Every structure is written in C-alpha cells, then in structure tokens.
Amino acid sequence: MEVIIQPSPVAAAKVAARIIEDLIRRKPSAVLGLATGGTPLGLYQELIRLHREKGLDFSGITTFNLDEYVGISPEHPASYHRFMQENLFDHVNILPGNIHIPDGNTKDVPRFCAGYEEQILKAGGIDLQVLGIGHDGHVGFNESTSSLVSRTRIKTLTEQTIAANQRFFSEGETVPHHVITMGVGTIMEARTCLMLAFGEGKGQAVADMAEGPVTAMCPATALQMHRQTILIVDTPAASRLKRTAYYNHVYLNKPDFQKVSAFPVV
Ligand code: GLP
C-alpha cells in the first residue's frame, strides 16, 4: 500500500484528482468506482475544475457507485443518487447511461445485486475505485465483521454508522437501517483503490487499515492484500501511523515514471 501524507484535505484532493486525471487522459473509456460522504467532496470539486478549465473529458467514462440506502427515493436529499448528481455528475459531461448506482428501491434485492456485479464485469471491471473510510474501518457500507470476500448485497447498518450519517438527513428523520453495498471482494477486484481519509477522527481507522492486522473487524484492512492501493491522508488522519517518516521518504524520492500515477492502464 502506498501512503501519501498531505498537509490539508485540499492538497490531498489535488493529488487524488491528478491520479484520476492521468487515468482518464490515458484511458478515456475508464471505469471509475465512486464513493459518497464528506471525504470525496474536495476531489469531486477538483475534477469539476479540471473538466471546466482543462477540458477533462468524462464522455467516455463509466461509473459504479459503492452503495445506496434501501427504501429512499433517488430524489431524496440524502440519497446517494442525489449526492452524486449534485456533487459531480451535474457538473461534468458524463453520459447518464454510463452512471450506475445501486437501486435502493429494487423489488428483488438479491437479483439486483447479482446484476450489478454482472454490469461491472461487462464494463470490463473497475479501473479505479475511490474510497472513504468509516471511523470503525468500514468501506462502502461493509460494516465490521463483513466477509472480506463479500459481493454486492444488502447490509444492516450499525448504530455508529447510522449516527454518523444522521447529519445528511433532516432533524427527526430516520436514517434507513438497510443499504445495498458493493462487497469487500467486489472492491478488491478494482485495479486500483484510491482511499482518502481526513481529520484526527479517522486516525485510528487509518492506522489499523495500513499497519494493523488483517481482520474482518476492520474491513478496510483487506486492502493490505490489494495489489495497488493508494491511501491519501491529511496530517491529522496520519497522526496514529507508525511509519510516517518512511512514507514521506518514499513519496519524496519516487522515480520519475511513478510521479503522477503508478498503475498500468489495462
Ligand atoms: C459512509 C459511506 C462510506 C464513507 C463513510 C465515511 O458509511 N458509505 O463510503 O466512506 O460513510 O463518510 P465520510 O466521508 O462522510 O466521513
């Protein structure tokens, strides 16, 4: 796992956006896996800027989102459909037919989930998966104890995740208890995983993920077994890492060919 420590979330978002820009310019038909939450907002703003100011072209891009709540409409202000429209898709030239987000209103959840996996395969697999991390180390909505080889499926949220996501819902409104999420195994098949984490509150999860033992109690630790994971954090989120001096040394002394992005385009 490559660990990149940046002075601020803005600086981190710029590094992440450059990696995605490089992928899109080299592979205009790239397949991106996308995440929601507060963490990727700066990245999406930077991608929008690159589209507007540098002509970054999303017309050939296909996207698959990690997850969605079960039982709320795509128009609901807290739905991940709405989040993606407002924070990225409305502002770039992606084709609506190339956007995939789990359908939280499907009548047949297992069938939908199997179909989502098939769509990812049919698109050629995910080139780069954007990820955030929960305070307990969950990725997507793969809560602690999720199978590390799980596929897209329904999950029940923990009290902690429900409380953390209450801020996106109106006061008094209940956060859905069920979600559809890509599995850890699905995420692990992305060619590159790009995880962002900011703030001291994420420090322990970041340290567990990068340096702790691999365990289903912290599903993000599965990424230690992934061939190409890039973890970009700000200084507070890096505060519990033990090998920061080494990570900084690696980043500052990269061979030229690795400076923008380290992954091959398939
Ligand atoms: C939710 C999302 C995750 C996200 C996590 C952290 O659980 N399903 O994809 O990484 O929240 O959210 P935030 O970035 O707001 O801290």
Side-chain angles (χ1 to χ4, degrees):
M1 185 180 305
E2 179 181 7
V3 183
I4 302 175
I5 303 167
Q6 290 292 298
S8 67
V10 171
K14 281 188 192 297
V15 174
R18 267 185 42 221
I19 292 170
I20 295 178
E21 178 188 13
D22 182 57
L23 171 64
I24 294 177
R25 294 207 193 274
R26 291 200 291 150
K27 186 176 180 184
S29 62
V31 180
L32 298 179
L34 297 177
T36 53
T39 305
L41 283 174
L43 165 63
Y44 296 155
Q45 278 160 19
E46 184 61 13
L47 289 175
I48 293 165
R49 190 189 70 77
L50 288 168
H51 169 68
R52 287 189 181 147
E53 295 175 14
K54 308 266 184 212
L56 189 63
D57 182 11
F58 287 79
S59 63
I61 297 300
T62 297
T63 63
F64 287 90
N65 261 76
L66 282 169
D67 44 20
E68 179 58 287
Y69 294 104
V70 167
I72 60 174
S73 75
E75 293 76 36
H76 189 287
S79 82
Y80 288 169
H81 280 75
R82 181 95 176 254
F83 177 99
M84 290 309 303
Q85 282 305 135
E86 287 177 358
N87 292 299
L88 183 63
F89 298 148
D90 281 349
H91 311 286
V92 295
N93 63 332
I94 190 161
L95 303 181
N98 290 349
I99 295 169
H100 304 83
I101 303 176
D103 176 6
N105 287 306
T106 178
K107 298 269 173 293
D108 186 342
V109 172
R111 191 167 163 182
F112 174 83
C113 293
Y116 202 67
E117 293 275 340
E118 271 168 32
Q119 282 182 307
I120 294 172
L121 280 180
K122 219 171 126 198
I126 292 172
D127 289 300
L128 182 144
Q129 175 67 56
V130 176
L131 293 167
I133 188 166
H135 291 91
D136 56 357
H138 73 255
V139 281
F141 271 131
N142 294 284
E143 299 282 27
S144 297
T145 73
S146 284
S147 157
L148 300 185
V149 293
S150 48
R151 312 303 308 187
T152 302
R153 68 211 183 292
I154 194 165
K155 282 294 287 181
T156 305
L157 297 181
T158 62
E159 292 292 329
Q160 190 188 20
T161 302
I162 290 171
N165 288 350
Q166 184 72 56
R167 70 190 197 279
F168 295 109
F169 289 77
S170 328
E171 220 183 306
E173 199 179 2
T174 312
V175 180
H177 287 203
H178 291 104
V179 293
I180 292 175
T181 180
M182 276 187 207
V184 181
T186 322
I187 292 167
M188 290 289 282
E189 281 170 15
R191 292 182 189 97
T192 297
C193 286
L194 181 61
M195 174 171 289
L196 301 172
F198 306 132
E200 210 178 339
K202 297 284 175 77
Q204 192 56 51
V206 163
D208 290 344
M209 171 194 162
E211 297 174 344
V214 175
T215 166
M217 284 302 286
C218 178
T221 60
L223 291 164
Q224 290 179 24
M225 314 266 299
H226 187 272
R227 60 186 164 166
Q228 180 74 51
T229 289
I230 306 169
L231 168 63
I232 309 179
V233 294
D234 65 355
T235 317
S239 58
R240 300 206 177 189
L241 288 168
K242 294 195 181 83
R243 297 279 182 272
T244 48
Y246 175 65
Y247 306 137
N248 289 333
H249 175 75
V250 170
Y251 189 60
L252 290 173
N253 293 285
K254 276 189 171 189
D256 280 346
F257 79 94
Q258 281 191 333
K259 276 189 179 144
V260 173
S261 77
F263 51 88
V265 169
V266 181

